[in-house]
């Protein structure tokens, strides 16, 4: 059994002396807060905590009352913390790691919560952590690294959300809630100018058109230079890692009475840029095909071909112009209607239609030679409708019930300009997914201190998928369906001091998945006779092929926690959890005879750990702290022990802030934020010979903001990743080489200006 001393030693061994010094101030400051309590009896309202109201359970609740582990971020405070997109959110939530590397794209986001996520992006894969915007589920990960403007709040729900958020939420859910139009007239302008060519401008307007009609609009432009050059493609439009994004969002709210309201929202974004930074390790693997020259071009490759003398690892040596640029675009429209039927019941409908497409790809050999290069295009169209009914059965019992429909059609294409082993390469994937669900969640107050809740959700998923990886074989089709009943039981108890304790048992579900790159079909074709008996080989593969889906993925989570205000100055949330996953697919990529093959390794996984969120508020001084510690155990597979990829066992974030009050009412707010993620693995194995371990990372931001007494504007100096920590986002060992995906997160210093009128 691990005692407290052992845990402390484990934490200490993983942190730098600087981080330890900052971390050790937390208990000292907490003690100081208790002492201050007797001295500052007449503390002003500004010194006290603001109770955040969240909608994690699809009903408004104070954050302390929600019986799950939950982190919430105020949208107006994101910039001061250095949070500009979802990747940044992943630096400040316990046991959350957000990375982005899919298809070499700069706009992809891959969240991993408690050891669950997705390393891929193709249409036949589904994330284990769902992302919602105003209640609308986003089906694809490329293009999800939203520029966080016009945000009311971000909620990160940890653990399976199988009852209320059934769609691909076995690891957790991220809710982005934007600002609804209201009767206020306001215009906000935010700008940033910084190093690395940062230019960012955001315009937000809210205006009342009448007593019943209001709108708001948000237009944003964001540009940042790259970190390297395409040394063999002088005409490349963008540098390595360069980004340029334009986005807009318009919402109209019609509220003809106190009982009825409709919000119509349309959004769009266009993103362009250069390939995400990466490099290729060849010498370390020493394969016959790369190192030994046993490839279609007959060339012996070395690391010096990837990083020629005089260049650095952020330069890219590809000679293929088609992979140098990436792009994505998305369009969406959503209509939310709410009707208060009477004092007890409210009906709500959220309907949405979204489209997305992207262009990306990688040159896997990373050299001027056209050996393995995979320019890629993808698109997806989704439609979702959710009907909710919530209200009160009596003065002690409330409920949320709903019906949900989701349909997605998508495709991925490689072939034009693609090659494998110097020859042709083909990948045509198509899939249509239809998901239907019905759910109910009921909460009952037994007395003023104790409440219980429970929920059920029935989901039925259908998938029609096809793959063509070899023209002689043609397109392989398959269909499958899954269904599952997920459930939740929870209890909340309010102690005499106002703290809340909870215990939750909840289950989660995800439908099975098809292989992302089924080049195993080519091996099956030749194994059944190939061109010597092409008709027989085609028939044999179609009768029994490897393009089949996995079984249902299920999760059961056991969790207890305590949250609330310890005293007037300290806010705390602590959770202990144990989550068991069955039939969980890991994406395993390797080079096969036919191509870059990605197969599903199905495992059983148990994630267990502890999470702590605290906020200390001493008037002008405040500090947030989050710590997550986790142990993930994966069942042994065929003689080796897998590990959960991209999952650090220790996460830590600390953010102290102090406001100096100047003569005349002016103020200067100084803030620093420290984020730590311990070592992890880029693929589902910890074998040292695979060389896919990722080093720990420590990132530090600062923000110094001046606001005059009339609060007409704020001007701030900021620094992000001020010590220029360069780290690996991922590592994949294919057997011929190691893809080392680099961060696009170099240091940046600049000035931010915001005004409101």
């Amino acid at each position: 059994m691990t005692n407290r001393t052992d845990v402390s030693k484990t934490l200490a061994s993983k942190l730098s002396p600087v981080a330890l010094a900052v971390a050790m101030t937390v208990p000292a400051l907490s003690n100081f807060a208790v002492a201050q309590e007797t001295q500052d009896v007449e503390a002003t309202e500004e010194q006290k905590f603001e109770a955040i109201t969240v909608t994690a359970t699809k009903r408004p609740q104070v954050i302390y009352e929600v019986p799950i582990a939950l982190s919430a971020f105020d949208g107006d405070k994101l910039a001061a913390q250095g949070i500009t997109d979802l990747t940044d959110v992943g630096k400040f939530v316990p046991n959350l790691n957000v990375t982005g590397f899919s298809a070499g794209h700069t706009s992809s986001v891959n969240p991993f919560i408690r050891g669950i996520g997705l390393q891929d992006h193709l249409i036949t894969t589904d994330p284990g952590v769902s992302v919602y915007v105003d209640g609308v589920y986003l089906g694809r990960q490329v293009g999800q690294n939203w520029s966080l403007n016009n945000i009311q709040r971000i909620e990160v729900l940890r653990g399976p959300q199988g009852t209320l958020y059934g769609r691909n939420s076995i690891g957790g859910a991220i809710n982005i809630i934007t600002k609804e139009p209201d009767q206020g007239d306001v215009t906000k302008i935010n700008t940033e100018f910084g190093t690395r060519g940062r230019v960012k401008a955001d315009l937000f307007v809210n205006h009342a058109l009448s007593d019943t009609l209001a709108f708001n609009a948000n237009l944003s432009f964001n540009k940042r230079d790259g970190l390297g050059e395409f040394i063999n493609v002088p005409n490349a439009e963008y540098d390595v890692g360069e980004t340029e994004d334009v986005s807009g969002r318009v919402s109209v709210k019609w509220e003809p009475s106190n009982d009825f309201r409709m919000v119509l929202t349309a959004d769009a974004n266009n993103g362009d840029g250069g390939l995400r930074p990466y490099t290729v390790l060849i010498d370390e693997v020493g394969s016959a095909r790369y190192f030994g020259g046993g490839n279609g071009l007959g060339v012996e490759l070395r690391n010096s071909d990837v990083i020629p003398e005089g260049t650095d690892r952020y330069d890219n040596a590809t000679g293929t112009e088609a992979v140098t640029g990436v792009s994505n675009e998305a369009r969406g429209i959503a209509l939310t209607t709410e009707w208060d039927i009477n004092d007890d019941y409210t009906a709500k409908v959220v309907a949405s239609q979204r489209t997305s497409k992207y262009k990306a790809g990688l040159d896997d050999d990373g050299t001027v030679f056209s050996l393995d290069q995979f320019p890629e295009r993808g698109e997806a169209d989704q439609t979702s409708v959710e009907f909710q009914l919530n209200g009160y059965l009596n003065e002690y019992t409330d409920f949320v019930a709903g019906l949900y429909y989701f349909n997605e059609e998508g495709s991925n294409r490689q072939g034009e300009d693609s090659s494998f082993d110097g020859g042709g390469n083909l990948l045509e994937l198509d899939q249509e997914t239809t998901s239907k669900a019905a759910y109910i969640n009921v909460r009952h107050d037994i007395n003023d201190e104790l409440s219980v809740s429970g929920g059920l959700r029935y989901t039925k998923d259908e998938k029609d998928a096809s793959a063509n990886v070899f023209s002689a074989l043609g397109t392989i089709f398959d269909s499958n369906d899954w269904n599952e009943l997920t459930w939740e039981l929870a209890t909340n108890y309010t102690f005499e001091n106002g703290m809340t304790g909870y215990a939750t048992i909840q289950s989660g579900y995800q439908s099975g998945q098809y292989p992302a790159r089924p080049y195993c079909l080519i091996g099956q074709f030749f194994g059944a006779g190939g061109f010597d008996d092409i008709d027989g080989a085609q028939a044999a593969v179609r009768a029994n092929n490897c393009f089949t889906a996995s079984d249902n993925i299920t999760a059961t989570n056991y969790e207890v926690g305590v949250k609330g205000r310890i005293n007037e100055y300290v806010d705390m949330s602590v959770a202990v959890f144990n989550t068991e996953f069955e039939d969980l697919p890991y994406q395993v990529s390797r080079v096969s005879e036919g191509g870059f093959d990605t197969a599903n390794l199905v495992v059983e996984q148990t994630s267990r750990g502890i999470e702590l969120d605290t906020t200390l508020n001493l008037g002008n001084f405040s500090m947030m702290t989050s710590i997550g510690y986790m142990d993930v155990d994966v069942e042994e597979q065929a003689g080796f022990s897998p590990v959960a990829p991209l999952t650090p066992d220790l996460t830590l974030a600390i953010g102290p802030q102090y406001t100096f009050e100047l003569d005349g009412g002016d103020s200067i707010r100084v803030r620093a934020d420290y984020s730590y993620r311990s070592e992890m693995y880029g693929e589902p194995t910890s074998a040292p010979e695979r060389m896919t371990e990722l080093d720990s990372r420590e990132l530090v931001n600062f923000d110094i903001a001046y606001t005059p007494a009339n609060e007409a504007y704020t001007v701030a100096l900021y620094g992000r990743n001020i010590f220029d920590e360069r780290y690996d986002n991922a590592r994949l060992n294919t057997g011929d080489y190691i893809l080392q995906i680099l961060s696009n997160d170099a240091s940046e210093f600049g000035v931010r200006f915001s005004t409101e009128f």
Side-chain angles (χ1 to χ4, degrees):
M1 180 175 180
T2 303
N3 60 35
R4 185 169 59 182
T5 302
D6 293 334
V7 173
S8 300
K9 290 179 179 179
T10 302
L11 296 177
S13 68
K14 292 179 175 292
L15 297 177
S16 71
V18 175
L20 276 173
V22 179
M24 289 171 65
T25 65
V26 176
L29 287 169
S30 298
N31 292 334
F32 177 67
V34 175
Q36 283 287 102
E37 186 174 6
T38 60
Q39 301 174 21
D40 297 336
V41 177
E42 299 180 357
T44 64
E45 288 300 317
E46 288 76 17
Q47 291 176 300
K48 298 178 181 178
F49 291 108
E50 179 180 347
I52 300 176
T53 299
V54 297
T55 52
T57 59
K58 299 195 175 181
R59 51 166 82 84
Q61 287 180 280
V62 175
I63 192 170
Y64 313 128
E65 299 174 351
V66 182
I68 57 175
L70 167 66
S71 299
F73 297 84
D74 186 318
D76 291 332
K77 300 176 182 177
L78 295 176
Q81 197 169 341
I83 296 176
T84 62
D85 52 35
L86 281 182
T87 299
D88 291 329
V89 173
K91 301 171 184 176
F92 300 103
V93 176
N95 288 330
L96 169 64
N97 180 48
V98 179
T99 184
F101 61 91
S102 297
H105 216 292
T106 51
S107 72
S108 62
V109 57
N110 302 66
F112 283 72
I113 296 179
R114 296 180 177 179
I116 296 296
L118 177 68
Q119 291 181 275
D120 221 310
H121 64 282
L122 296 181
I123 193 64
T124 54
T125 63
D126 289 317
V129 175
S130 57
V131 177
Y132 289 82
V133 176
D134 293 333
V136 175
Y137 168 73
L138 305 182
R140 295 296 105 196
Q141 292 184 300
V142 175
Q144 277 191 19
N145 203 22
W146 283 51
S147 183
L148 297 176
N149 305 301
N150 185 27
I151 300 299
Q152 182 72 32
R153 187 175 64 257
I154 298 174
E155 302 170 0
V156 181
L157 290 61
R158 303 189 293 277
Q161 308 298 318
T163 303
L164 295 174
Y165 299 87
R167 185 78 194 139
N168 296 327
S169 302
I170 58 172
I174 300 174
N175 289 336
I176 302 172
I177 298 100
T178 66
K179 296 177 180 177
E180 280 193 0
D182 56 35
Q183 290 296 304
D185 289 332
V186 63
T187 298
K188 297 181 180 180
I189 298 174
N190 298 289
T191 59
E192 282 186 10
F193 300 93
T195 58
R196 201 182 159 189
R198 169 73 76 183
V199 177
K200 184 177 182 181
D202 175 53
L203 172 66
F204 172 75
V205 177
N206 187 96
H207 186 64
L209 301 175
S210 70
D211 291 341
T212 61
L213 193 65
F215 85 96
N216 65 31
N218 181 215
L219 181 63
S220 179
F221 173 80
N222 192 7
K223 185 181 186 304
R224 185 174 63 172
D225 290 344
L227 290 173
E229 299 179 353
F230 293 101
I231 58 177
N232 292 318
V233 185
N235 297 322
E237 186 175 0
Y238 297 98
D239 287 337
V240 176
E242 185 176 354
T243 61
E244 183 175 309
D245 185 82
V246 178
S247 59
R249 187 178 183 89
V250 178
S251 294
V252 179
K253 184 176 184 178
W254 180 50
E255 194 168 6
S257 70
N258 292 331
D259 300 329
F260 186 84
R261 50 210 162 269
M262 297 177 65
V263 179
L264 178 65
T265 301
D267 67 83
N269 76 277
N270 278 55
D272 296 282
L275 185 64
R276 176 175 288 276
Y278 76 101
T279 189
V280 182
L281 306 181
I282 297 172
D283 299 7
E284 289 81 351
V285 179
S287 73
R289 191 166 76 91
Y290 268 40
F291 196 87
N295 51 65
L297 301 180
V299 295
E300 296 183 358
L301 300 180
R302 298 291 184 269
N303 289 345
S304 57
D305 295 309
V306 179
I307 308 176
E309 186 176 351
T311 64
D312 66 36
R313 64 176 185 162
Y314 283 88
D315 289 335
N316 192 294
T318 183
T320 305
E321 185 174 358
V323 300
T324 61
V326 301
S327 66
N328 68 278
E329 60 182 72
R331 307 287 184 269
I333 187 168
L335 178 64
T336 301
T337 304
E338 286 187 279
W339 176 36
D340 297 331
I341 302 171
N342 53 39
D343 291 341
D344 292 326
Y345 300 108
T346 297
K348 182 178 181 179
V349 178
V350 182
S352 174
Q353 200 280 328
R354 300 194 62 83
T355 63
S356 64
K357 60 176 61 176
Y358 72 89
K359 177 180 77 70
L362 285 174
D363 181 348
D364 275 22
D365 58 80
T367 70
V368 70
F369 303 104
S370 299
L371 184 62
D372 296 338
Q373 56 191 36
F374 308 108
E376 180 181 299
R377 288 170 172 79
E379 59 183 50
D381 300 323
Q382 69 171 65
T383 301
S384 63
V385 180
E386 183 168 4
F387 170 76
Q388 293 178 25
L389 180 66
N390 61 69
Y392 297 89
L393 298 176
N394 54 51
E395 62 178 313
Y396 306 107
T397 309
D398 64 81
F399 73 95
V400 178
L403 300 172
Y404 180 75
Y405 171 84
F406 175 84
N407 178 266
E408 179 188 56
E409 294 185 52
S411 65
N412 299 102
R413 293 291 184 269
Q414 293 176 7
E416 182 183 352
D417 299 325
S418 293
S419 66
F420 173 71
D421 208 25
N425 174 76
L426 176 65
L427 177 65
E428 295 180 353
L429 283 180
D430 293 270
Q431 181 173 281
E432 179 179 5
T433 300
T434 301
S435 180
K436 303 172 184 177
Y439 63 86
I440 185 170
N441 185 279
V442 180
R443 183 183 60 183
H444 177 70
D445 293 330
I446 297 176
N447 52 44
D448 290 342
E449 293 80 25
L450 181 64
S451 67
V452 294
S453 61
L456 294 172
R457 185 185 187 104
Y458 177 78
T459 306
K460 182 176 178 60
D461 289 326
E462 299 175 355
K463 292 183 179 181
D464 297 310
S466 65
N468 185 359
V469 296
F470 191 44
S471 56
L473 182 58
T475 303
I476 301 297
F477 297 89
D478 196 72
S479 298
N480 213 327
D481 61 82
W482 302 261
N483 62 82
E484 189 74 25
L485 181 67
T486 52
W487 50 271
E488 175 184 324
L489 291 173
T491 181
N492 266 38
Y493 184 81
T494 303
F495 300 100
E496 289 185 4
N497 62 358
M499 297 286 288
T500 300
Y502 72 89
T504 300
I505 304 175
Q506 56 193 166
S507 67
Y509 149 81
Q510 187 176 33
S511 59
Q513 301 183 36
Y514 286 92
R517 297 170 186 82
Y519 289 103
C520 51
L521 292 168
I522 298 177
Q524 289 187 313
F525 173 78
F526 285 105
F531 290 112
D532 294 334
D533 182 13
I534 188 168
D535 292 337
Q538 289 175 337
V541 173
R542 286 188 170 85
N544 184 21
N545 63 74
C546 62
F547 188 65
T548 58
S550 60
D551 292 333
N552 279 357
I553 307 164
T554 59
T556 305
N557 182 51
Y558 306 88
E559 182 171 314
V560 294
V562 177
K563 59 175 68 176
R565 294 175 181 169
I566 297 177
N567 55 42
E568 189 177 3
Y569 304 96
V570 181
D571 192 10
M572 183 193 73
S573 173
V574 60
V576 179
F577 64 90
N578 185 91
T579 314
E580 299 172 355
F581 301 91
E582 294 186 5
D583 296 316
L584 178 67
Y586 288 164
Q587 283 72 41
V588 178
S589 298
R590 61 182 179 85
V591 174
S592 66
E593 235 177 69
F596 187 86
D597 185 87
T598 301
N600 290 329
L601 173 67
V602 179
V603 304
E604 293 185 9
Q605 174 180 312
T606 300
S607 301
R608 59 181 68 89
I610 184 170
E611 296 163 346
L612 172 68
D613 279 298
T614 66
T615 303
L616 172 68
N617 196 327
L618 299 175
N620 287 353
F621 177 80
S622 65
M623 175 183 285
M624 59 74 62
T625 305
S626 74
I627 302 174
Y629 186 77
M630 182 170 54
D631 175 60
V632 180
D633 181 33
V634 186
E635 184 182 39
E636 185 174 302
Q637 299 283 316
F640 80 97
S641 298
V643 296
L646 299 177
T647 300
D649 59 7
L650 177 62
T651 59
L652 170 67
I654 303 172
Q657 176 178 295
Y658 190 86
T659 301
F660 295 89
E661 303 291 349
L662 307 180
D663 294 340
D666 299 356
S667 65
I668 296 177
R669 185 194 66 241
V670 180
R671 182 183 179 96
D673 285 282
Y674 169 87
S675 170
Y676 173 83
R677 296 295 181 265
S678 65
E679 299 86 353
M680 64 191 96
Y681 292 91
E683 62 179 19
T685 177
S686 59
E689 63 271 16
R690 299 287 295 178
M691 293 173 286
T692 61
E693 183 177 6
L694 311 181
D695 291 336
S696 62
R697 68 191 65 155
E698 297 180 86
L699 306 175
V700 180
N701 304 332
F702 76 78
D703 194 89
I704 305 173
Y706 167 80
T707 304
N710 61 5
E711 299 183 349
Y713 64 89
T714 296
V715 61
L717 298 176
Y718 72 84
R720 298 178 188 137
N721 189 6
I722 62 175
F723 298 116
D724 200 23
E725 177 91 343
R726 304 295 180 96
Y727 56 91
D728 291 353
N729 255 315
R731 280 193 174 205
L732 299 174
N733 189 326
T734 70
D736 279 340
Y737 51 90
I738 298 172
L739 278 176
Q740 184 180 7
I741 312 298
L742 308 175
S743 66
N744 199 26
D745 195 19
S747 64
E748 181 184 328
F749 300 88
V751 60
R752 186 178 72 253
F753 175 84
S754 61
T755 184
E756 178 179 330
F757 52 89

